[in-house]
Amino acid sequence: MTIEVRMTLRLPEDLRDRLSTHAKSERRSLNSELVYMLEVGLRAAGMDAESPGDDSATPAPLRGKPDSSPA
């Protein structure tokens, strides 16, 4: 079952361009490519559709500094 959820996603322009180019090479829409990548990422993290996430898990560290971090 698919539930439609509309949301705004802010991406750096270069990342959006890379995702869009990759989606085209895979013959998918950008939306479909993002859904696919999220599913693959969740599966790799051990969070497949049959096993709900565990709130007690330690989150993975962020890569790089968030934009709001002090310099």
Side-chain angles (χ1 to χ4, degrees):
M1 182 165 110
T2 300
I3 299 172
E4 184 175 328
V5 177
R6 295 194 178 261
M7 59 190 289
T8 301
L9 179 63
R10 296 184 316 195
L11 295 172
E13 189 175 343
D14 63 323
L15 178 57
R16 185 198 181 284
D17 292 344
R18 288 171 42 211
L19 287 166
S20 183
T21 298
H22 186 71
K24 286 178 186 173
S25 73
E26 296 294 321
R27 301 185 67 155
R28 289 194 267 260
S29 68
L30 180 56
N31 184 78
S32 294
E33 186 66 19
L34 290 169
V35 169
Y36 172 77
M37 289 184 160
L38 288 168
E39 288 174 344
V40 169
L42 287 173
R43 220 175 295 125
M47 296 174 59
D48 61 9
E50 280 74 40
S51 59
D54 181 2
D55 289 343
S56 65
T58 304
L62 293 174
R63 293 187 184 125
K65 280 196 230 175
D67 290 342
S68 61
S69 66

